Amino acid sequence: MAEYESLLEESIEVDAPPAKVWSLVTNLPRMSKWSPQVLRTIVRGGPIQLGTRALNINHRGPLVWPTRTKVVAFEPHREFAFRVKENRTIWSFTLEPTETGTRVIQRRSAPDGISDASIRLTRIALGGQKNFTRELRAGMRQTLARVKAESEA
């Protein structure tokens, strides 16, 4: 049995159209404004689209680490996802129109598992999978709340 949950998912209802929410969740350089784990994202190349690569600087307290990502889904106003090279997870936002705006679903999936190196580092430096998963879920809820606030402003 895996030490980790293969799917983490949180959602929120936003009183804004999908196009407005899309413009926020696909703006990778601004991700640090919403995600408590992201310090900075540096996009490689031109506009964000399928195949775009980025370097992320993440943190937890004084611990800082880089990750490299590649956009693997880009369906305007519907789905945006990127794969993290170091741990093989996929982070995504799915936007679903509602009568009053948009349902935003954020997921972290591990369809190919999580790399052994990441599992070891999580155990050693981040308090283990159970603790880190709890932090990831809280971070997802915080990210969604911040996206909601900005979308509705």
Side-chain angles (χ1 to χ4, degrees), residues 70-152:
K70 179 180 178 182
V71 175
V72 295
F74 192 88
E75 184 182 336
H77 308 164
R78 174 77 180 113
E79 184 181 14
F80 176 68
F82 52 88
R83 179 181 289 272
V84 179
K85 184 173 185 174
E86 287 73 16
N87 64 17
R88 301 191 307 246
T89 62
I90 297 174
W91 286 84
S92 66
F93 290 94
T94 301
L95 310 181
E96 298 175 347
T98 65
E99 286 186 22
T100 59
T102 308
R103 180 173 186 244
V104 184
I105 306 159
Q106 185 179 23
R107 293 181 182 94
R108 196 263 357 232
S109 62
D112 301 320
I114 295 178
S115 70
D116 291 342
S118 288
I119 290 172
R120 281 193 305 276
L121 288 171
T122 300
R123 188 180 313 122
I124 294 165
L126 300 172
Q129 287 296 326
K130 186 174 181 180
N131 184 54
F132 191 55
T133 296
R134 205 170 25 250
E135 288 179 22
L136 288 175
R137 284 186 181 281
M140 292 166 77
R141 288 188 297 272
Q142 186 174 13
T143 296
L144 290 171
R146 289 173 172 175
V147 166
K148 175 183 174 71
E150 188 156 341
S151 296
E152 294 176 350

Coordinates of all heavy atoms in Angstrom, one line a residue, residues 70-152:
K70 N 5.8 21.3 -16.0 CA 5.4 21.4 -17.4 C 3.9 21.4 -17.5 O 3.2 20.5 -16.9 CB 6.0 20.3 -18.2 CG 5.7 20.3 -19.6 CD 6.3 19.1 -20.3 CE 5.9 19.1 -21.8 NZ 6.5 17.9 -22.5
V71 N 3.3 22.3 -18.2 CA 1.9 22.4 -18.4 C 1.5 21.2 -19.2 O 2.0 21.0 -20.4 CB 1.4 23.7 -19.0 CG1 -0.1 23.7 -19.3 CG2 1.8 24.9 -18.1
V72 N 0.6 20.3 -18.7 CA 0.1 19.1 -19.4 C -1.3 19.1 -19.8 O -1.8 18.2 -20.5 CB 0.5 17.9 -18.5 CG1 2.0 17.7 -18.4 CG2 -0.2 17.9 -17.2
A73 N -2.1 20.1 -19.4 CA -3.5 20.3 -19.8 C -3.7 21.8 -19.9 O -3.4 22.6 -19.0 CB -4.5 19.6 -18.8
F74 N -4.4 22.2 -21.0 CA -4.6 23.6 -21.2 C -5.9 23.8 -22.1 O -5.8 23.8 -23.3 CB -3.4 24.3 -21.8 CG -3.5 25.8 -21.8 CD1 -3.0 26.5 -20.7 CD2 -4.0 26.5 -22.9 CE1 -3.0 27.9 -20.7 CE2 -4.1 27.9 -22.9 CZ -3.6 28.6 -21.8
E75 N -7.0 23.7 -21.4 CA -8.3 23.8 -22.1 C -9.0 25.1 -21.6 O -9.5 25.1 -20.5 CB -9.2 22.6 -21.8 CG -10.5 22.6 -22.6 CD -11.4 21.4 -22.3 OE1 -10.9 20.4 -21.8 OE2 -12.6 21.6 -22.5
P76 N -8.8 26.2 -22.3 CA -9.3 27.5 -21.8 C -10.7 27.5 -21.2 O -11.6 26.9 -21.7 CB -9.3 28.4 -23.1 CG -8.1 27.8 -23.9 CD -8.3 26.3 -23.7
H77 N -10.7 28.1 -20.0 CA -11.8 28.3 -19.2 C -12.4 27.0 -18.6 O -13.5 27.0 -18.1 CB -12.9 29.1 -19.9 CG -12.4 30.4 -20.5 ND1 -13.2 31.0 -21.5 CD2 -11.3 31.1 -20.3 CE1 -12.5 32.1 -21.9 NE2 -11.4 32.1 -21.2
R78 N -11.6 25.9 -18.7 CA -12.1 24.6 -18.3 C -11.1 23.9 -17.4 O -11.4 23.5 -16.3 CB -12.5 23.8 -19.5 CG -12.9 22.4 -19.2 CD -14.3 22.2 -18.7 NE -14.5 20.8 -18.4 CZ -14.7 20.3 -17.2 NH1 -14.6 21.1 -16.1 NH2 -14.9 19.0 -17.0
E79 N -9.9 23.6 -18.0 CA -8.9 22.8 -17.3 C -7.5 23.3 -17.5 O -7.1 23.5 -18.6 CB -9.0 21.3 -17.7 CG -8.1 20.4 -16.8 CD -8.1 19.0 -17.2 OE1 -8.7 18.6 -18.3 OE2 -7.6 18.2 -16.4
F80 N -6.7 23.3 -16.4 CA -5.3 23.7 -16.5 C -4.6 22.8 -15.5 O -5.0 22.6 -14.4 CB -5.2 25.2 -16.0 CG -3.8 25.7 -15.9 CD1 -3.0 25.8 -17.1 CD2 -3.2 26.0 -14.7 CE1 -1.7 26.2 -17.0 CE2 -1.9 26.4 -14.6 CZ -1.1 26.5 -15.8
A81 N -3.5 22.2 -16.0 CA -2.7 21.3 -15.1 C -1.3 21.3 -15.5 O -0.9 21.5 -16.6 CB -3.3 19.8 -15.3
F82 N -0.4 21.1 -14.5 CA 1.0 21.0 -14.7 C 1.6 19.8 -13.9 O 1.1 19.5 -12.8 CB 1.7 22.3 -14.4 CG 1.4 22.9 -13.0 CD1 2.1 22.5 -11.9 CD2 0.4 23.8 -12.9 CE1 1.9 23.0 -10.6 CE2 0.1 24.3 -11.6 CZ 0.8 24.0 -10.5
R83 N 2.6 19.2 -14.5 CA 3.2 18.0 -13.8 C 4.5 18.5 -13.2 O 5.3 19.2 -13.8 CB 3.5 16.9 -14.8 CG 4.2 15.7 -14.2 CD 4.6 14.6 -15.2 NE 3.4 14.0 -15.7 CZ 2.9 12.9 -15.1 NH1 3.4 12.4 -14.1 NH2 1.8 12.3 -15.7
V84 N 4.8 18.0 -11.9 CA 6.0 18.4 -11.2 C 7.0 17.3 -11.5 O 6.7 16.1 -11.2 CB 5.7 18.5 -9.7 CG1 7.0 18.8 -9.0 CG2 4.7 19.5 -9.4
K85 N 8.1 17.6 -12.1 CA 9.1 16.6 -12.6 C 9.7 15.9 -11.4 O 9.8 14.6 -11.5 CB 10.2 17.3 -13.3 CG 11.2 16.4 -13.9 CD 12.2 17.0 -14.8 CE 13.1 16.0 -15.4 NZ 14.0 16.5 -16.4
E86 N 10.0 16.5 -10.3 CA 10.7 15.9 -9.2 C 9.9 14.8 -8.5 O 10.4 13.8 -8.0 CB 11.1 16.9 -8.2 CG 12.3 17.8 -8.6 CD 11.9 18.8 -9.7 OE1 10.7 19.1 -9.9 OE2 12.8 19.3 -10.3
N87 N 8.6 15.0 -8.4 CA 7.8 14.0 -7.6 C 6.7 13.3 -8.5 O 6.0 12.4 -8.0 CB 7.2 14.6 -6.4 CG 6.2 15.7 -6.7 OD1 5.7 15.8 -7.8 ND2 5.9 16.4 -5.7
R88 N 6.6 13.7 -9.8 CA 5.7 13.1 -10.7 C 4.2 13.4 -10.5 O 3.3 12.8 -11.1 CB 5.9 11.6 -10.8 CG 7.2 11.2 -11.3 CD 7.3 9.7 -11.6 NE 6.9 8.8 -10.6 CZ 7.6 7.9 -9.9 NH1 8.9 7.9 -10.2 NH2 7.1 7.1 -9.1
T89 N 3.9 14.3 -9.5 CA 2.5 14.6 -9.3 C 2.0 15.6 -10.3 O 2.7 16.3 -11.0 CB 2.3 15.2 -7.9 OG1 3.0 16.5 -7.8 CG2 2.7 14.2 -6.8
I90 N 0.7 15.7 -10.5 CA 0.0 16.6 -11.4 C -0.9 17.5 -10.5 O -1.8 17.0 -9.8 CB -0.8 15.9 -12.4 CG1 0.1 15.1 -13.3 CG2 -1.6 16.9 -13.3 CD1 -0.6 14.2 -14.4
W91 N -0.7 18.8 -10.6 CA -1.6 19.8 -10.0 C -2.5 20.4 -11.0 O -2.1 20.7 -12.1 CB -0.7 20.9 -9.3 CG 0.0 20.4 -8.1 CD1 1.2 19.8 -8.0 CD2 -0.5 20.6 -6.8 NE1 1.5 19.5 -6.7 CE2 0.5 20.0 -5.9 CE3 -1.6 21.1 -6.2 CZ2 0.3 19.9 -4.5 CZ3 -1.8 21.1 -4.8 CH2 -0.8 20.5 -4.0
S92 N -3.8 20.5 -10.7 CA -4.7 21.0 -11.7 C -5.8 21.8 -11.1 O -6.1 21.8 -9.9 CB -5.4 19.8 -12.4 OG -6.2 19.0 -11.6
F93 N -6.4 22.7 -12.0 CA -7.6 23.4 -11.7 C -8.6 23.1 -12.7 O -8.3 23.2 -13.9 CB -7.3 24.9 -11.7 CG -6.4 25.4 -10.6 CD1 -5.1 25.5 -10.8 CD2 -7.0 25.8 -9.4 CE1 -4.3 26.0 -9.8 CE2 -6.2 26.3 -8.4 CZ -4.8 26.4 -8.6
T94 N -9.8 22.7 -12.3 CA -10.9 22.5 -13.2 C -12.0 23.5 -12.9 O -12.3 23.7 -11.7 CB -11.5 21.1 -13.0 OG1 -10.4 20.1 -13.3 CG2 -12.6 20.8 -14.0
L95 N -12.5 24.2 -13.9 CA -13.5 25.2 -13.8 C -14.8 24.7 -14.3 O -14.9 24.3 -15.5 CB -13.1 26.5 -14.5 CG -11.7 27.0 -14.2 CD1 -11.4 28.3 -14.9 CD2 -11.5 27.2 -12.7
E96 N -15.9 24.8 -13.5 CA -17.2 24.3 -14.0 C -18.2 25.5 -13.8 O -18.3 26.0 -12.7 CB -17.7 23.1 -13.1 CG -16.8 21.9 -13.2 CD -17.2 20.8 -12.3 OE1 -18.0 21.0 -11.4 OE2 -16.7 19.7 -12.5
P97 N -18.8 25.9 -14.9 CA -19.8 27.0 -14.8 C -20.9 26.6 -13.9 O -21.4 25.5 -13.9 CB -20.3 27.3 -16.2 CG -19.5 26.4 -17.1 CD -18.7 25.4 -16.3
T98 N -21.4 27.6 -13.1 CA -22.6 27.4 -12.2 C -23.6 28.5 -12.6 O -23.3 29.4 -13.3 CB -22.2 27.4 -10.7 OG1 -21.8 28.7 -10.4 CG2 -21.1 26.4 -10.4
E99 N -24.7 28.5 -11.9 CA -25.7 29.5 -12.2 C -25.2 30.9 -11.7 O -25.6 31.9 -12.3 CB -27.0 29.2 -11.5 CG -27.8 28.0 -12.1 CD -29.2 27.8 -11.5 OE1 -29.7 28.8 -10.8 OE2 -29.7 26.7 -11.7
T100 N -24.4 30.9 -10.7 CA -23.9 32.2 -10.2 C -22.4 32.5 -10.4 O -21.9 33.5 -10.0 CB -24.2 32.2 -8.7 OG1 -23.5 31.1 -8.0 CG2 -25.6 32.1 -8.3
G101 N -21.7 31.6 -11.1 CA -20.3 31.8 -11.4 C -19.6 30.6 -11.8 O -19.9 30.0 -12.8
T102 N -18.7 30.1 -10.9 CA -17.8 29.0 -11.3 C -17.5 28.2 -10.0 O -17.2 28.7 -9.0 CB -16.4 29.6 -11.8 OG1 -16.7 30.5 -12.8 CG2 -15.5 28.5 -12.3
R103 N -17.5 26.9 -10.2 CA -17.0 26.0 -9.2 C -15.6 25.7 -9.6 O -15.3 25.3 -10.8 CB -17.8 24.6 -9.2 CG -17.3 23.7 -8.2 CD -18.2 22.5 -8.1 NE -17.8 21.6 -7.0 CZ -17.4 20.3 -7.2 NH1 -17.3 19.8 -8.4 NH2 -17.0 19.6 -6.1
V104 N -14.6 25.9 -8.7 CA -13.2 25.7 -8.9 C -12.8 24.5 -8.1 O -12.9 24.5 -6.9 CB -12.4 27.0 -8.5 CG1 -10.9 26.8 -8.8 CG2 -12.9 28.2 -9.1
I105 N -12.2 23.5 -8.8 CA -11.7 22.3 -8.2 C -10.2 22.3 -8.4 O -9.7 22.4 -9.5 CB -12.3 21.1 -8.8 CG1 -13.8 21.2 -8.8 CG2 -11.8 19.8 -8.1 CD1 -14.5 20.3 -9.8
Q106 N -9.5 22.2 -7.3 CA -8.0 22.0 -7.3 C -7.7 20.6 -6.9 O -8.3 20.1 -5.9 CB -7.3 23.0 -6.4 CG -5.8 22.9 -6.5 CD -5.1 23.9 -5.6 OE1 -5.6 24.3 -4.6 NE2 -3.8 24.2 -6.0
R107 N -6.8 19.9 -7.7 CA -6.4 18.6 -7.4 C -4.9 18.4 -7.4 O -4.2 19.1 -8.1 CB -7.0 17.6 -8.5 CG -8.5 17.5 -8.5 CD -8.9 16.5 -9.6 NE -10.4 16.4 -9.6 CZ -11.1 17.1 -10.4 NH1 -10.6 18.0 -11.3 NH2 -12.5 17.0 -10.4
R108 N -4.5 17.5 -6.6 CA -3.1 17.0 -6.7 C -3.2 15.5 -6.9 O -3.7 14.8 -6.0 CB -2.3 17.3 -5.4 CG -0.8 17.2 -5.6 CD 0.0 16.0 -5.2 NE -0.6 14.8 -4.6 CZ -0.2 14.3 -3.5 NH1 0.8 14.8 -2.8 NH2 -0.8 13.2 -3.0
S109 N -2.9 15.0 -8.1 CA -3.0 13.6 -8.3 C -1.6 13.0 -8.6 O -0.7 13.7 -8.9 CB -3.9 13.3 -9.5 OG -3.3 13.9 -10.7
A110 N -1.5 11.7 -8.3 CA -0.3 11.0 -8.5 C -0.6 9.7 -9.4 O -0.4 8.6 -8.9 CB 0.3 10.6 -7.2
P111 N -1.0 9.9 -10.6 CA -1.3 8.7 -11.4 C -0.2 7.8 -11.7 O -0.4 6.6 -11.9 CB -1.8 9.4 -12.7 CG -1.2 10.7 -12.8 CD -1.1 11.1 -11.4
D112 N 1.1 8.3 -11.6 CA 2.2 7.4 -11.8 C 3.0 7.2 -10.5 O 4.2 6.9 -10.5 CB 3.2 8.1 -12.8 CG 2.5 8.3 -14.2 OD1 1.7 7.4 -14.6 OD2 2.7 9.4 -14.8
G113 N 2.3 7.4 -9.4 CA 3.0 7.3 -8.1 C 3.8 8.6 -7.8 O 3.9 9.5 -8.6
I114 N 4.4 8.6 -6.6 CA 5.3 9.7 -6.2 C 6.7 9.1 -6.1 O 6.8 8.0 -5.7 CB 4.8 10.3 -4.8 CG1 3.5 10.9 -5.0 CG2 5.9 11.3 -4.3 CD1 2.9 11.5 -3.7
S115 N 7.6 9.8 -6.6 CA 9.0 9.3 -6.7 C 9.5 8.9 -5.3 O 9.1 9.5 -4.3 CB 9.9 10.4 -7.3 OG 10.1 11.5 -6.4
D116 N 10.3 7.9 -5.2 CA 10.9 7.4 -4.0 C 11.7 8.5 -3.3 O 11.6 8.6 -2.1 CB 11.8 6.2 -4.2 CG 11.1 5.0 -4.7 OD1 9.8 4.9 -4.4 OD2 11.7 4.0 -5.2
A117 N 12.4 9.3 -4.1 CA 13.2 10.4 -3.5 C 12.3 11.4 -2.8 O 12.6 11.8 -1.6 CB 14.0 11.1 -4.6
S118 N 11.1 11.7 -3.4 CA 10.2 12.7 -2.7 C 9.6 12.1 -1.5 O 9.4 12.8 -0.5 CB 9.1 13.1 -3.7 OG 9.6 13.9 -4.7
I119 N 9.3 10.8 -1.5 CA 8.7 10.1 -0.3 C 9.7 10.2 0.8 O 9.4 10.5 1.9 CB 8.3 8.7 -0.7 CG1 7.0 8.8 -1.6 CG2 8.0 7.9 0.6 CD1 6.6 7.4 -2.1
R120 N 11.0 9.9 0.5 CA 12.0 9.9 1.5 C 12.2 11.3 2.1 O 12.3 11.5 3.3 CB 13.4 9.4 1.0 CG 13.4 7.9 0.9 CD 14.9 7.4 0.7 NE 15.5 7.9 -0.5 CZ 15.3 7.5 -1.8 NH1 14.5 6.4 -2.0 NH2 15.9 8.0 -2.8
L121 N 12.3 12.3 1.2 CA 12.5 13.7 1.6 C 11.3 14.2 2.5 O 11.5 14.9 3.5 CB 12.7 14.6 0.5 CG 14.1 14.4 -0.2 CD1 14.2 15.2 -1.5 CD2 15.2 14.9 0.7
T122 N 10.1 13.8 2.1 CA 8.9 14.1 2.9 C 9.0 13.5 4.3 O 8.7 14.2 5.3 CB 7.6 13.7 2.2 OG1 7.6 14.4 0.9 CG2 6.4 14.1 3.0
R123 N 9.4 12.3 4.4 CA 9.6 11.6 5.6 C 10.6 12.3 6.5 O 10.4 12.6 7.7 CB 9.9 10.2 5.4 CG 9.9 9.4 6.7 CD 10.3 7.9 6.5 NE 9.6 7.3 5.4 CZ 10.2 6.7 4.3 NH1 11.5 6.7 4.3 NH2 9.5 6.2 3.4
I124 N 11.8 12.7 5.9 CA 12.9 13.2 6.7 C 12.7 14.7 7.0 O 12.9 15.1 8.1 CB 14.2 13.0 5.8 CG1 14.5 11.5 5.7 CG2 15.4 13.8 6.5 CD1 15.6 11.2 4.7
A125 N 12.3 15.5 6.0 CA 12.3 17.0 6.2 C 10.9 17.6 6.4 O 10.9 18.7 6.9 CB 12.9 17.6 4.9
L126 N 9.8 16.9 6.1 CA 8.5 17.5 6.2 C 7.6 16.8 7.1 O 6.4 17.0 7.1 CB 7.9 17.6 4.8 CG 8.7 18.4 3.7 CD1 8.1 18.2 2.4 CD2 8.8 19.8 4.1
G127 N 8.1 16.0 8.0 CA 7.3 15.3 9.0 C 6.4 14.2 8.6 O 5.5 13.7 9.3
G128 N 6.7 13.6 7.4 CA 6.0 12.4 6.9 C 4.8 12.8 6.0 O 4.4 13.9 6.0
Q129 N 4.4 11.7 5.3 CA 3.3 11.9 4.4 C 2.0 12.4 5.0 O 1.3 13.3 4.5 CB 3.0 10.6 3.6 CG 4.1 10.3 2.6 CD 4.2 11.3 1.5 OE1 3.2 11.9 1.0 NE2 5.4 11.6 1.0
K130 N 1.6 11.8 6.1 CA 0.3 12.2 6.8 C 0.3 13.6 7.1 O -0.6 14.4 6.8 CB 0.1 11.3 8.0 CG -1.3 11.5 8.6 CD -1.5 10.5 9.7 CE -2.9 10.7 10.3 NZ -3.1 9.7 11.4
N131 N 1.4 14.1 7.8 CA 1.5 15.5 8.2 C 1.5 16.4 6.9 O 0.8 17.4 6.9 CB 2.7 15.7 9.0 CG 2.8 17.1 9.6 OD1 1.9 17.6 10.2 ND2 4.0 17.7 9.3
F132 N 2.4 16.0 5.9 CA 2.5 16.9 4.8 C 1.2 16.9 4.0 O 0.8 18.0 3.4 CB 3.7 16.4 3.9 CG 4.1 17.3 2.8 CD1 4.4 18.6 3.1 CD2 4.1 16.9 1.5 CE1 4.7 19.5 2.0 CE2 4.5 17.8 0.5 CZ 4.8 19.1 0.7
T133 N 0.5 15.8 3.9 CA -0.8 15.8 3.2 C -1.8 16.7 3.8 O -2.5 17.5 3.2 CB -1.3 14.3 3.1 OG1 -0.4 13.6 2.3 CG2 -2.7 14.3 2.5
R134 N -1.8 16.7 5.2 CA -2.7 17.6 5.9 C -2.3 19.1 5.5 O -3.2 19.9 5.3 CB -2.5 17.4 7.4 CG -3.6 17.8 8.3 CD -3.6 17.3 9.7 NE -2.2 17.1 10.3 CZ -1.8 15.9 10.6 NH1 -2.5 14.8 10.4 NH2 -0.6 15.7 11.1
E135 N -1.0 19.4 5.5 CA -0.6 20.7 5.1 C -1.0 21.1 3.7 O -1.4 22.2 3.4 CB 0.9 20.9 5.3 CG 1.4 20.9 6.7 CD 2.9 21.0 6.8 OE1 3.6 21.5 5.9 OE2 3.4 20.7 7.9
L136 N -0.8 20.1 2.8 CA -1.2 20.3 1.4 C -2.7 20.7 1.2 O -3.0 21.6 0.5 CB -0.8 19.1 0.5 CG 0.7 18.9 0.2 CD1 0.9 17.6 -0.6 CD2 1.3 20.1 -0.5
R137 N -3.5 19.9 1.9 CA -4.9 20.1 1.9 C -5.3 21.5 2.4 O -6.1 22.3 1.8 CB -5.7 19.1 2.7 CG -5.8 17.8 2.0 CD -6.7 16.8 2.8 NE -6.8 15.5 2.2 CZ -7.6 15.3 1.1 NH1 -8.3 16.2 0.6 NH2 -7.6 14.0 0.6
A138 N -4.7 21.9 3.5 CA -4.9 23.3 4.1 C -4.4 24.3 3.1 O -5.1 25.3 2.9 CB -4.2 23.4 5.4
G139 N -3.3 24.1 2.5 CA -2.8 25.0 1.5 C -3.7 25.1 0.3 O -3.9 26.2 -0.3
M140 N -4.3 24.0 -0.2 CA -5.2 24.1 -1.3 C -6.5 24.9 -0.9 O -6.9 25.7 -1.7 CB -5.6 22.6 -1.7 CG -4.5 21.8 -2.3 SD -4.8 20.1 -2.4 CE -5.9 20.0 -3.8
R141 N -7.0 24.7 0.3 CA -8.1 25.5 0.7 C -7.8 27.0 0.8 O -8.6 27.8 0.4 CB -8.6 25.0 2.1 CG -9.3 23.6 2.0 CD -10.0 23.2 3.3 NE -9.1 23.1 4.4 CZ -8.5 21.9 4.7 NH1 -8.7 20.9 3.9 NH2 -7.7 21.9 5.7
Q142 N -6.6 27.3 1.3 CA -6.1 28.7 1.3 C -6.0 29.3 -0.1 O -6.4 30.4 -0.3 CB -4.8 28.8 2.1 CG -4.4 30.2 2.3 CD -3.1 30.2 3.2 OE1 -2.5 29.3 3.5 NE2 -2.8 31.4 3.7
T143 N -5.4 28.5 -1.0 CA -5.2 28.9 -2.4 C -6.6 29.2 -3.0 O -6.8 30.3 -3.6 CB -4.5 27.8 -3.2 OG1 -3.2 27.7 -2.6 CG2 -4.4 28.2 -4.6
L144 N -7.5 28.3 -2.8 CA -8.9 28.5 -3.4 C -9.6 29.7 -2.8 O -10.2 30.5 -3.5 CB -9.7 27.3 -3.2 CG -9.3 26.1 -4.1 CD1 -10.0 24.8 -3.7 CD2 -9.4 26.4 -5.6
A145 N -9.4 29.9 -1.5 CA -10.1 31.1 -0.8 C -9.5 32.4 -1.4 O -10.2 33.4 -1.6 CB -9.9 31.0 0.7
R146 N -8.2 32.4 -1.6 CA -7.5 33.6 -2.1 C -7.9 33.9 -3.6 O -8.1 35.0 -4.0 CB -6.0 33.5 -2.0 CG -5.5 33.6 -0.5 CD -4.1 33.3 -0.4 NE -3.6 33.6 1.0 CZ -2.4 33.3 1.4 NH1 -1.5 32.8 0.6 NH2 -2.1 33.6 2.7
V147 N -8.0 32.8 -4.4 CA -8.4 33.0 -5.8 C -9.9 33.5 -5.8 O -10.2 34.4 -6.6 CB -8.3 31.6 -6.5 CG1 -9.1 31.7 -7.9 CG2 -6.8 31.3 -6.8
K148 N -10.7 32.9 -4.9 CA -12.1 33.4 -4.8 C -12.2 34.9 -4.5 O -12.9 35.6 -5.1 CB -12.8 32.6 -3.7 CG -14.3 33.1 -3.5 CD -14.9 32.2 -2.3 CE -16.2 32.7 -1.9 NZ -17.3 32.5 -2.9
A149 N -11.4 35.3 -3.5 CA -11.4 36.7 -3.0 C -11.0 37.6 -4.2 O -11.6 38.6 -4.4 CB -10.5 36.9 -1.8
E150 N -10.0 37.2 -4.9 CA -9.5 38.1 -6.0 C -10.5 38.0 -7.2 O -10.7 39.0 -7.8 CB -8.1 37.7 -6.5 CG -7.6 38.7 -7.5 CD -6.1 38.7 -7.6 OE1 -5.4 38.3 -6.7 OE2 -5.6 39.2 -8.6
S151 N -11.1 36.9 -7.5 CA -12.0 36.8 -8.6 C -13.3 37.6 -8.3 O -13.8 38.1 -9.2 CB -12.5 35.3 -8.7 OG -11.4 34.5 -9.1
E152 N -13.6 37.7 -7.1 CA -14.9 38.4 -6.7 C -14.6 39.9 -6.4 O -15.6 40.6 -6.2 CB -15.6 37.7 -5.5 CG -16.1 36.3 -5.9 CD -16.7 35.6 -4.7 OE1 -16.6 36.1 -3.5 OE2 -17.2 34.5 -4.9

